[in-house]
Amino acid sequence: MHKNSRIILAISALALVVTIFVPLWRILMWAPQYPESLSLQIWIDNITGDLRTINALNHYIGMKQIQVSMFPEFAFLKYLVLILTVVGLAGPVFNSRRMVLGWMLLLVLAGAGALVDFYRWGYDYGHNLDPSAPIKVPGMAYQPPILGTKQLLNFTAFSGPDVGGWIFVAVGAITAILLVWEFRFRKI
Amino acid sequence: MRPAIFLLGVFLAAGSCSPDKPSNTEEYPDASGKSAPEANLSDPTKGIGEVKEVKLHSPLEQDRIKRGLSIYEMKCQPCHKLDETRVVGPGWKGVTQRRRPEWIMNMVTNVDVMLEKDTEAQKLLELCLTRMPNQNVSLGDARDVLEFMRSNDGEK
Amino acid sequence: MLIPCALWLAVAGCKPQTPAQVATGDAAAKVYVAPGKYDEFYNFVSGGFNGQMTVYGIPSGRLFKTIPVFSTFPENGYGYSEESKPMLNTSHGFIPWDDLHHPALSTTNGEHDGRWAFGNANNTPRVARIDLKTFTTAEIIELPNSGGNHSSPFITENTEYVVAGTRFSVPVGDNADVPISSYKKNFRGTISFIKVDPSSGRLSINFQLVTPAVDFDLARAGKGPSHGWFFFSCYNTERAYTLLEVNATQKDKDFIMAVNWKKAEEYIAQGQGKKVKARYAHNVMDEKTHMATSEILNEVLELDPVQLKDVVYFIPCPKSPHGCDTDPTGEYIVASGKLAALIPVFSFTKIQQAIAAKDFEGDFAGIPVIKYESALYGEVKKPGLGPLHTEFDDKGNAYTSFFVSSEIVKWNVKSLEVLDRVPTYYSIGHLCVPGGPTRKPHGKYVIAYNKITKDRYLPTGPELTQSAQLYSIDGDKMQLLLDFPTVGEPHYAEAIPASLVMPNSTKIYRIEENQHPYAAKGEKEAKVERKGNEIHIYMTAIRSHLTPDNIEGVRVGDDVYFHVTNLEQDWDVPHGLAVKGAANAEILIMPGETQTLKWKPLTSGVFPFYCTDFCSALHQEMQGYIRVSPAGSNVPLKFSTGKVEPETTTGK
């Protein structure tokens, strides 16, 4: 691989470490009463934001209280990222395109896994409602969107990557571009 | 010199912007239903108001004097003494000799217009510096007060 | 690198648009009332937790007056002056505060007549009558067997009755010391029918309907064809007495309760019903003596609708109905289940048919329950979230407030079609169309009373202003015209054309008619009297002096009463009085009125008093001194005005 490729790939892999310290994902919700929006930030091992307000509102329709203990994933996600980083460094260190390719697949898998996990949680959160909730709207579920915007009763909810998420996206994109470049345009 | 000029200026300014009558009085007529009184053009010494002509009787009507006294005590006494001394307003001694009976009754029943348009009333305001309040005295009551004033001035 | 950028843009693009927050077009011109011009409507707005009623002008949104009703008001001495203290007396003694939720303006033939406004005390159940000539509280009657007087006050078509339903069911009868868990057995709801004397307005409880234990929320009288009936929303048909948030929201349907009060009157005429012991206060302000009196009454007539048939029926209604509003024709009853996703509209004709045909699905605690479908005219589908209250215009349309989705939705009463919706900022509670609850709505505007203002005004710390919003309803589309802040927490409000109220407004109290026992109708009557340890000062006020203004001979331990008569007979010339060190409010005395400030001096000295209302150019001269000597002192009682004594050098 080109020397610059190796440097960029190494930096990319190391950049993943940053995601341990910044929020990965964010959920924003607007309602007529909340024009400034309510927000949730999902971190590698925590969930922050207007939890109290959201929990207070959601109990009317029987949604569970959002709390850290709902996410067992928080216990090991950090190590997963560290492993990803170490594996990511292998390609540039040993100057192996195949290893980089393998790492790329691993990244995609991790991303997909995270989204599936997030969907699974969202489905349960939005569907598994307390039957004794004061407000029951027949046929209504409150599953938050995975990506993009969705109307949930009086709330418009948006879900998308935060800084950490964008780092993942950027690392994935850079790796993909370099791989294409290395395989297609460079002879070894 | 300066203060005098200044005062004169204020006076002129105040004089030139005498208030227009509020345009919406028609929409909200006074509860007593009085029509807007016109000046007694024929005789300015009679003042401005509904009272154009008062018939005085001699000897004095004792009933009126009695009623006039009680109205005086309820509505007039805080400001008008029965001798010549001026407290808030002028003393009443001699008022029936100084003023026409019509002027007195108009001043009592139509004080706001009098203070606005009648030069004699305005002179009194300059002297006393306190606007005489509208005490909601009816025409009949004002006539009784007038009778009491005559008796206070020694008429029989 | 391009991909993330594109993604970012895409994501940023899917942020919802914030609502257009600026009133558009000619809004400013529509609410502009030029200086010196009058507003078109009076708006009587409840003060909520300030316990008062406030008067605004519409369309300008300008605040004119706070009418003190259930809370003391040091600003004018209400609840502090000796004359007004009895107004706040109850069977529990003097209470300085309450929570006023709903004004109701008197009607004749179902149309506004501009005579009185009524208001409810929510906490210690009472109903007040406010005189719209003087804009003062004329009468307050307490309601026994009630707790949380929320379904109140609502009036019949000719103001025959002011009706008040209890929110909390409570133990009724002699023994109220029962376990809370005996709710079903011992607790009952009551609906008080307060008779209004057609000429004087005097209130008296004619009878109380004793109902099964539920919570009553709101109500409206029938009108036109349904005159003689009354409709109440009730929730907690689960009969929960704890954690109502969960336990009282379980059933799919609660009830609208229909009451045939003419039938109840027939039973009373036959001597039915039973008189039971009760303790409640009845307070009346006398306009001639300017004094309130409080009387404790001991008896109330009870009617049991389980025994007396054909008076009360239940109609199932989805999910905790809140507002229960009859349309101007009197045929349609709109019930808003605050947790429901639709609005049922009931038909009075169909209710009558169902009753005649005994089309019942069963009974609830002995009261027949009419089948939902048999009473239903139709449902407004998908109107919004959290419907609360409905008002009507003069064109057959209804306006319903939605708390959760924070909007007003306009729909047609006949077709049940949603015609328009407009956001409110934020979380609207009640709404008001001028004349909206009457047979002849005046239309033109709808006013939203919001629960949250948040970012609408300059922030003022944690507690923000409350607000109302004015919308034009002249056109097909509702148009936001104005935000205006309100005091207290506005719940319901009514608006009435100025022409129905303004010409009757009292300007002065005639001094000749003042029958206050301590009035000084003229300076000649001004005096100071000692009765034991009471000092009564008969004081007069006129521009610009108080008589007497020098008083001596008062001793520590005396109760000093300043009875001040305002001798003015001109509009808008109140005088006030305040005394240094008095543990009391000021009194504000209208022309021709007498008011009394009580003061118990605790120390000796010379205490200044003065007029508090800027009355004239010499207002700052309107003052006096009262000398207080130690207890047991023999300083003689004397008083004067304008008397200058030879300089005294004794003492100090």
Side-chain angles (χ1 to χ4, degrees):
Chain A
M1 286 193 289
H2 190 275
K3 191 179 163 203
N4 285 349
S5 296
R6 288 173 65 189
I7 291 170
I8 291 171
L9 281 168
I11 291 171
S12 296
L14 285 170
L16 285 186
V17 178
V18 177
T19 65
I20 294 174
F21 306 102
V22 293
L24 296 173
W25 209 258
R26 60 181 187 152
I27 296 175
L28 298 176
M29 295 192 291
W30 294 265
Q33 302 88 325
Y34 295 97
E36 76 283 16
S37 86
L38 295 170
S39 72
L40 281 181
Q41 274 91 38
I42 302 170
W43 301 61
I44 197 95
D45 57 356
N46 200 1
I47 183 157
T48 61
D50 302 308
L51 269 181
R52 259 175 221 267
T53 314
I54 290 168
N55 284 337
L57 290 169
N58 286 354
H59 99 284
Y60 288 112
I61 45 177
M63 294 170 82
K64 286 190 202 127
Q65 301 273 306
I66 298 178
Q67 42 195 251
V68 174
S69 62
M70 278 173 106
F71 302 92
E73 300 90 333
F74 286 164
F76 57 81
L77 278 178
K78 223 182 299 185
Y79 305 106
L80 218 68
V81 167
L82 286 175
I83 290 166
L84 269 178
T85 306
V86 173
V87 174
L89 283 173
V93 168
F94 299 110
N95 195 10
S96 157
R97 285 190 304 189
R98 281 166 186 279
M99 280 173 129
V100 174
L101 188 64
W103 188 61
M104 178 73 213
L105 289 174
L106 207 59
L107 263 186
V108 170
L109 270 178
L115 287 180
V116 167
D117 186 52
F118 182 52
Y119 176 86
R120 192 190 50 77
W121 168 80
Y123 185 90
D124 179 68
Y125 181 61
H127 286 82
N128 193 358
L129 305 173
D130 183 350
S132 65
I135 303 183
K136 286 190 281 264
V137 182
M140 186 74 200
Y142 309 98
Q143 181 173 5
I146 297 258
L147 189 68
T149 308
K150 190 174 169 187
Q151 188 71 27
L152 298 167
L153 292 184
N154 56 323
F155 274 92
T156 306
F158 161 79
S159 170
D162 209 322
V163 178
W166 286 119
I167 291 175
F168 262 102
V169 171
V171 167
I174 289 165
T175 311
I177 291 165
L178 284 177
L179 274 173
V180 169
W181 186 64
E182 288 286 343
F183 277 106
R184 284 285 299 276
F185 302 108
R186 268 174 54 87
K187 304 264 187 279
I188 300 215
Chain B
M1 228 11 229
R2 263 221 187 135
I5 288 169
F6 178 68
L7 273 178
L8 190 66
V10 168
F11 201 79
L12 282 174
S16 60
C17 58
S18 71
D20 285 328
K21 248 190 122 40
S23 55
N24 38 24
T25 35
E26 262 98 16
E27 295 165 35
Y28 193 26
D30 192 90
S32 57
K34 283 180 221 158
S35 56
E38 287 307 313
N40 280 332
L41 293 174
S42 53
D43 189 350
T45 59
K46 286 186 171 180
I48 303 156
E50 272 184 83
V51 186
K52 314 285 183 210
E53 198 65 56
V54 181
K55 272 213 178 91
L56 301 178
H57 299 278
S58 213
L60 298 181
E61 299 163 78
Q62 293 303 317
D63 285 3
R64 284 194 187 276
I65 296 173
K66 233 162 75 193
R67 290 197 301 265
L69 169 65
S70 68
I71 295 159
Y72 164 75
E73 284 175 346
M74 193 188 297
K75 295 188 169 181
C76 320
Q77 191 189 33
C79 304
H80 299 285
K81 298 300 157 204
L82 293 180
D83 53 18
E84 278 117 8
T85 46
R86 176 162 61 83
V87 274
V88 181
W92 276 7
K93 198 80 196 161
V95 62
T96 54
Q97 283 112 49
R98 286 197 301 275
R99 310 283 178 204
R100 299 282 292 270
E102 293 83 3
W103 190 95
I104 292 174
M105 284 182 63
N106 282 327
M107 188 68 189
V108 170
T109 55
N110 194 31
V111 61
D112 290 321
V113 176
M114 286 288 281
L115 288 174
E116 198 179 305
K117 293 188 176 154
D118 185 275
T119 45
E120 284 301 305
Q122 284 167 343
K123 275 187 205 159
L124 279 177
L125 176 58
E126 277 170 48
L127 186 71
C128 303
L129 288 171
T130 301
R131 279 180 76 90
M132 178 166 141
N134 169 7
Q135 284 293 79
N136 258 295
V137 180
S138 68
L139 281 177
D141 286 355
R143 179 65 186 80
D144 293 346
V145 170
L146 175 67
E147 203 72 357
F148 168 69
M149 283 170 164
R150 291 173 69 201
S151 122
N152 186 50
D153 283 342
E155 280 191 56
K156 297 285 176 212
Chain C
M1 278 313 277
L2 275 176
I3 298 168
C5 276
L7 253 178
W8 182 265
L9 280 174
V11 167
C14 59
K15 268 193 186 179
Q17 278 194 317
T18 45
Q21 303 195 356
V22 183
T24 48
D26 52 352
K30 284 184 175 170
V31 301
Y32 183 66
V33 177
K37 295 287 177 199
Y38 295 127
D39 277 285
E40 194 181 350
F41 294 96
Y42 281 100
N43 191 198
F44 291 86
V45 182
S46 62
F49 47 58
N50 78 4
Q52 323 291 37
M53 206 179 279
T54 34
V55 187
Y56 296 82
I58 297 295
S60 72
R62 295 177 294 184
L63 170 64
F64 300 147
K65 185 177 172 66
T66 298
I67 305 170
V69 184
F70 294 116
S71 295
T72 56
F73 197 57
E75 188 175 320
N76 74 355
Y78 183 81
Y80 293 91
S81 71
E82 294 307 298
E83 288 77 8
S84 60
K85 275 181 193 168
M87 288 304 282
L88 299 179
N89 190 39
T90 71
S91 62
H92 311 275
F94 177 88
I95 295 183
W97 172 91
D98 215 300
D99 186 12
L100 193 159
H101 280 221
H102 311 122
L105 300 183
S106 59
T107 55
T108 303
N109 294 322
E111 296 175 32
H112 278 154
D113 59 22
R115 296 202 289 170
W116 306 302
F118 300 91
N120 65 323
N122 203 37
N123 182 45
T124 302
R126 282 167 287 169
V127 163
R129 178 172 58 86
I130 290 143
D131 190 329
L132 295 189
K133 290 201 301 291
T134 57
F135 284 63
T136 57
T137 303
E139 190 173 3
I140 291 178
I141 192 161
E142 194 180 353
L143 303 170
N145 302 317
S146 177
N149 176 38
H150 191 269
S151 189
S152 163
F154 295 97
I155 52 175
T156 52
E157 197 168 274
N158 296 302
T159 322
E160 295 97 337
Y161 287 106
V162 177
V163 175
T166 182
R167 166 177 155 192
F168 296 85
S169 280
V170 290
V172 296
D174 288 343
N175 184 18
D177 179 18
V178 296
I180 296 169
S181 59
S182 68
Y183 184 91
K184 269 188 203 173
K185 178 166 168 260
N186 288 324
F187 288 44
R188 291 291 176 271
T190 58
I191 307 285
S192 304
F193 280 76
I194 305 164
K195 190 120 200 131
V196 184
D197 184 276
S199 58
S200 70
R202 285 278 283 227
L203 305 175
S204 57
I205 300 178
N206 197 32
F207 64 95
Q208 283 193 321
L209 270 181
V210 180
T211 72
V214 290
D215 285 32
F216 290 104
D217 209 352
L218 289 158
R220 282 289 182 204
K223 38 189 141 179
S226 55
H227 178 56
W229 286 75
F230 225 104
F231 305 94
F232 300 84
S233 58
C234 33
Y235 62 105
N236 190 20
T237 50
E238 295 85 352
R239 290 187 272 185
Y241 52 83
T242 179
L243 195 60
L244 266 63
E245 180 187 32
V246 173
N247 295 330
T249 53
Q250 292 310 306
K251 285 198 182 172
D252 280 341
K253 290 199 170 65
D254 292 286
F255 294 129
I256 294 297
M257 184 173 85
V259 173
N260 182 348
W261 57 265
K262 289 254 162 134
K263 186 81 190 169
E265 282 185 332
E266 283 173 29
Y267 281 125
I268 294 170
Q270 293 161 19
Q272 300 276 5
K274 105 182 145 175
K275 291 204 164 153
V276 294
K277 272 196 221 157
R279 233 177 91 74
Y280 58 103
H282 181 210
N283 313 329
V284 183
M285 179 60 81
D286 186 318
E287 208 178 282
K288 295 282 178 277
T289 62
H290 305 286
M291 289 175 93
T293 47
S294 178
E295 184 187 7
I296 296 286
L297 302 174
N298 296 302
E299 200 177 57
V300 72
L301 181 66
E302 258 184 14
L303 291 190
D304 179 359
V306 176
Q307 284 167 16
L308 303 173
K309 300 291 176 201
D310 307 327
V311 175
V312 175
Y313 299 91
F314 284 127
I315 305 161
C317 180
K319 300 296 288 178
S320 302
H322 191 62
C324 171
D325 298 288
T326 49
D327 87 315
T329 68
E331 166 64 13
Y332 302 104
I333 300 120
V334 180
S336 305
K338 56 184 183 275
L339 309 176
L342 52 81
I343 304 174
V345 177
F346 298 105
S347 149
F348 179 70
T349 314
K350 287 187 77 178
I351 292 170
Q352 294 309 304
Q353 288 164 357
I355 291 170
K358 295 207 181 306
D359 205 357
F360 303 139
E361 64 171 44
D363 77 304
F364 178 83
I367 305 284
V369 180
I370 298 170
K371 278 188 192 144
Y372 177 67
E373 290 74 18
S374 306
L376 188 71
Y377 170 70
E379 292 170 340
V380 185
K381 306 280 188 199
K382 298 222 165 160
L385 295 171
L388 291 185
H389 307 280
T390 302
E391 292 262 301
F392 304 91
D393 69 9
D394 46 345
K395 300 174 195 123
N397 299 314
Y399 299 81
T400 302
S401 60
F402 288 83
F403 177 78
V404 177
S405 51
S406 188
E407 59 187 337
I408 297 173
V409 174
K410 173 184 175 182
W411 52 279
N412 185 276
V413 178
K414 279 251 160 64
S415 72
L416 305 174
E417 255 178 298
V418 171
L419 302 174
D420 189 22
R421 52 180 71 235
V422 63
T424 65
Y425 308 100
Y426 305 97
S427 291
I428 179 177
H430 281 273
L431 76 177
C432 162
V433 173
T438 70
R439 286 181 73 173
K440 245 208 190 133
H442 316 294
K444 207 155 179 182
Y445 304 106
V446 62
I447 310 158
Y449 300 92
N450 300 317
K451 298 296 173 194
I452 298 171
T453 52
K454 214 164 179 165
D455 55 1
R456 298 296 286 188
Y457 297 93
L458 289 176
T460 51
E463 189 186 5
L464 300 173
T465 184
Q466 305 267 342
S467 95
Q469 291 186 291
L470 181 75
Y471 298 80
S472 162
I473 55 171
D474 277 340
D476 288 340
K477 288 273 171 199
M478 293 179 274
Q479 185 197 4
L480 174 60
L481 300 178
L482 179 72
D483 277 20
F484 62 97
T486 55
V487 293
E489 188 201 9
H491 291 261
Y492 187 51
E494 276 208 55
I496 179 171
S499 58
L500 289 176
V501 175
M502 190 168 150
N504 310 324
S505 207
T506 299
K507 293 179 170 173
I508 58 158
Y509 297 102
R510 295 185 65 83
I511 184 90
E512 295 89 338
E513 293 166 6
N514 183 330
Q515 291 166 18
H516 193 291
Y518 292 96
K521 293 194 254 181
E523 285 190 356
K524 199 171 164 238
E525 296 178 16
K527 62 187 171 193
V528 181
E529 281 177 356
R530 173 179 284 284
K531 287 183 195 160
N533 68 341
E534 286 182 5
I535 300 284
H536 291 276
I537 303 166
Y538 298 64
M539 185 176 279
T540 63
I542 194 160
R543 284 165 286 181
S544 303
H545 58 278
L546 297 157
T547 306
D549 68 1
N550 277 202
I551 301 164
E552 296 192 1
V554 176
R555 301 192 282 256
V556 170
D558 285 341
D559 285 325
V560 182
Y561 295 88
F562 289 87
H563 308 285
V564 185
T565 303
N566 182 349
L567 294 178
E568 307 278 357
Q569 289 290 280
D570 205 357
W571 199 13
D572 197 18
V573 195
H575 290 291
L577 183 80
V579 183
K580 181 185 169 182
N584 210 334
E586 68 156 340
I587 48 174
L588 207 57
I589 315 119
M590 298 303 125
E593 196 182 35
T594 304
Q595 291 286 303
T596 302
L597 186 153
K598 185 184 174 185
W599 172 49
K600 203 174 176 67
L602 302 175
T603 54
S604 59
V606 173
F607 296 82
F609 53 84
Y610 70 99
C611 171
T612 51
D613 189 306
F614 201 106
C615 53
S616 66
L618 297 174
H619 164 73
Q620 284 297 85
E621 281 70 16
M622 198 162 171
Q623 63 174 51
Y625 291 107
I626 183 166
R627 175 181 170 191
V628 178
S629 306
S633 141
N634 57 6
V635 174
L637 192 66
K638 64 175 184 180
F639 57 92
S640 61
T641 301
K643 188 169 147 198
V644 180
E645 296 188 10
E647 197 157 333
T648 314
T649 48
T650 51
K652 274 181 199 170

